[in-house]
Amino acid sequence: MRSVNALISEINQAEKILVCGHIMPDGDCISSVLSLYMGLRSLRKRVIPAVDWKISMEYYNFPHTGEIVRYSRNFELPDLMIVVDSSSPDRIGGFQELLKAGVRTAVIDHHKTNTYFGNVNWVSPGYSSTAQMVFRLLQIMDVSFDQELALLNYIGIATDTGFFRYTNVDSSVFEDAACLVKYGADPAFVARVILENRKLEEFYLERDALENLEVRCSGKFAYSYLEKENFEKYGLSEEEFSGFVSELRSIASVEVAMFASESKKGEAHVSLRSKRYFDVSEVAKAFGGGGHERAAGFTLTYDGVLPEALEEVTRFIIERLEEK
Ligand code: 5GP
Ligand code: MN
Ligand code: MN
């Protein structure tokens, strides 16, 4: 509660506020940025929504997504930067320059691997999503929710809980989501935009990913990968293919799932998921990334080819999985 009060006092003192999400933005990131943007704007703050990365096309079905700006040099410094859903400074891309320039920074996040890099930090891993924290904050600040704000805020709660399926779902998630639905958020619309909007090419990529599928540890560990040329073949970027790691986790025997996508030669994003007991955030942390116990990730850099570079990671996971 103390850190929420410190955050509110920072907001009250600021006039121009930058709300910044993380690179490779997901639904929680975009939802937190946009709902905080619209919420603070209704309190007559000058607010700029920011994410230093390309935003996946389906999110443009939601209002105000087109107003999100990327970093550019000569960025006019705000009084306050609020960083959402980001566990460490490297997650905000070019906006790290504002940290270096000494801009006052507040962090709102639910990752347990958060490094507390703000002047004030409201970090609470008990929340399902950063969007749920934004909801609580806007409620405390007496922001009135119209249909649009409710929709924007709902998106992150839905996506970060896998549409109310994951272990981060508790009664508070349903209570807050129910409030947002009462205020006018349309759950079926959000589900349709996010889940039923896939390109045919994604299925072809899935076929390639299935060809690379490996299963280890008596079925407890499943992993796969795609290289740059796979994506090029179908004209898709690696951001347009994000759900496959959850598909791997859905195999009955699987406890840990891993999926790596090569963004350029020598660099891949690795996504990790677990089902019941294995803490994948420890693996991600060991390789320079972060996340949650059941969902984490990191960037892998290497000299040779991706499948060989992955061997170190798979060995690391197998050793720990066999201990359990
Ligand atoms: P995803 O696999 O969907 O990219 O990410 C799963 C979770 O891990 C998310 O909560 C995300 O914030 C976190 N994560 C993914 N990649 C990285 C990374 O490179 N660094 C850190 N710190 N966290 C990451
Ligand atoms: Mn996120
Ligand atoms: Mn999140």
Side-chain angles (χ1 to χ4, degrees), residues 6 26 61 105 131 136 176 204 209 229 236 252 275 283 287 304:
D26 51 14
N61 289 294
T105 301
R136 295 291 177 95
D176 293 354
Y204 299 146
E229 29 308 2
L236 287 183
K275 200 182 273 166
V283 180
F287 286 90

Side-chain angles (χ1 to χ4, degrees), residues 15 35 65-66 75-76 90 100 105 111 129 154-155 170 198 227-228 261 280 296-298 301 303 307 318:
E15 208 243 312
S35 49
T65 303
F75 205 88
E76 196 195 323
D90 57 295
K100 288 182 198 148
T105 301
H111 291 93
S129 50
Y154 175 89
I155 297 163
D170 58 15
R198 299 179 65 193
E227 293 173 284
K228 183 89 191 135
S261 32
V280 286
F298 64 94
T301 50
D303 293 325
I318 290 166

Side-chain angles (χ1 to χ4, degrees), residues 22 24 26 85 87-88 90-91 111 113 245 269-273 288-292 295-299:
H22 61 78
M24 296 180 232
D26 51 14
D85 201 39
S87 54
S88 51
D90 57 295
R91 300 283 291 153
H111 291 93
T113 54
V245 70
H269 179 72
V270 180
S271 286
L272 296 162
R273 299 289 184 273
H292 311 284
F298 64 94
T299 299

Side-chain angles (χ1 to χ4, degrees), residues 270-282:
V270 180
S271 286
L272 296 162
R273 299 289 184 273
S274 62
K275 200 182 273 166
R276 288 180 296 120
Y277 57 85
F278 191 90
D279 187 352
V280 286
S281 75
E282 292 296 328

Side-chain angles (χ1 to χ4, degrees), residues 22-30 84-86 91 109-111 130 160 292:
H22 61 78
I23 57 173
M24 296 180 232
D26 51 14
D28 189 27
C29 168
I30 293 162
V84 294
D85 201 39
S86 310
R91 300 283 291 153
D109 189 29
H110 68 131
H111 291 93
T130 304
D160 250 24
H292 311 284

Side-chain angles (χ1 to χ4, degrees), residues 34-318:
L34 288 179
S35 49
L36 197 51
Y37 163 53
M38 294 309 288
L40 294 180
R41 214 168 76 159
S42 76
L43 298 176
R44 305 193 179 284
K45 300 289 181 186
R46 271 205 298 154
V47 193
I48 299 163
V51 171
D52 196 21
W53 203 270
K54 185 173 171 249
I55 289 168
S56 182
M57 226 175 51
E58 64 270 24
Y59 286 97
Y60 289 92
N61 289 294
F62 300 127
H64 304 289
T65 303
E67 288 152 47
I68 298 177
V69 300
R70 292 190 65 161
Y71 177 76
S72 61
R73 271 171 212 288
N74 312 322
F75 205 88
E76 196 195 323
L77 297 185
D79 305 322
L80 175 68
M81 167 159 77
I82 306 180
V83 179
V84 294
D85 201 39
S86 310
S87 54
S88 51
D90 57 295
R91 300 283 291 153
I92 63 173
F95 290 102
Q96 282 174 90
E97 294 301 322
L98 275 64
L99 290 173
K100 288 182 198 148
V103 170
R104 273 210 71 84
T105 301
V107 169
I108 307 177
D109 189 29
H110 68 131
H111 291 93
K112 75 165 192 177
T113 54
N114 194 286
T115 61
Y116 290 74
F117 56 96
N119 300 98
V120 298
N121 301 279
W122 180 28
V123 176
S124 201
Y127 283 100
S128 65
S129 50
T130 304
Q132 199 187 356
M133 300 173 76
V134 169
F135 175 71
R136 295 291 177 95
L137 175 70
L138 296 180
Q139 294 275 84
I140 299 170
M141 296 189 81
D142 277 330
V143 167
S144 70
F145 279 70
D146 58 12
Q147 193 177 349
E148 198 175 77
L149 178 56
L151 168 76
L152 292 171
N153 205 163
Y154 175 89
I155 297 163
I157 300 180
T159 54
D160 250 24
T161 59
F163 290 82
F164 309 99
R165 281 181 300 147
Y166 298 156
T167 49
N168 59 358
V169 176
D170 58 15
S171 60
S172 80
V173 166
F174 287 107
E175 281 159 13
D176 293 354
C179 261
L180 290 167
V181 173
K182 252 185 244 156
Y183 293 148
D186 179 350
F189 174 65
V190 174
R192 198 164 65 238
V193 167
I194 307 277
L195 301 174
E196 296 174 351
N197 218 349
R198 299 179 65 193
K199 291 182 179 160
L200 187 58
E201 287 79 7
E202 289 180 54
F203 287 79
Y204 299 146
L205 264 178
E206 208 161 293
R207 185 173 54 196
D208 289 4
L210 283 174
E211 281 186 3
N212 294 338
L213 174 64
E214 299 277 351
V215 181
R216 298 279 160 80
C217 289
S218 336
K220 284 194 287 188
F221 177 36
Y223 69 94
S224 180
Y225 62 89
L226 286 172
E227 293 173 284
K228 183 89 191 135
E229 29 308 2
N230 298 102
F231 292 103
E232 278 168 355
K233 189 161 57 170
Y234 305 115
L236 287 183
S237 66
E238 78 280 7
E239 283 103 25
E240 292 175 291
F241 191 73
S242 58
F244 193 66
V245 70
S246 327
E247 293 285 307
L248 295 181
R249 175 170 58 182
S250 74
I251 301 168
S253 63
V254 163
E255 171 59 24
V256 181
M258 175 176 86
F259 184 73
S261 32
E262 191 171 58
S263 43
K264 56 177 185 243
K265 277 293 157 198
E267 191 177 304
H269 179 72
V270 180
S271 286
L272 296 162
R273 299 289 184 273
S274 62
K275 200 182 273 166
R276 288 180 296 120
Y277 57 85
F278 191 90
D279 187 352
V280 286
S281 75
E282 292 296 328
V283 180
K285 237 174 29 190
F287 286 90
H292 311 284
E293 286 182 16
R294 303 283 166 263
F298 64 94
T299 299
L300 185 68
T301 50
Y302 45 92
D303 293 325
V305 294
L306 177 59
E308 280 169 21
L310 279 176
E311 281 171 21
E312 191 192 342
V313 189
T314 58
R315 226 178 302 121
F316 189 94
I317 292 171
I318 290 166

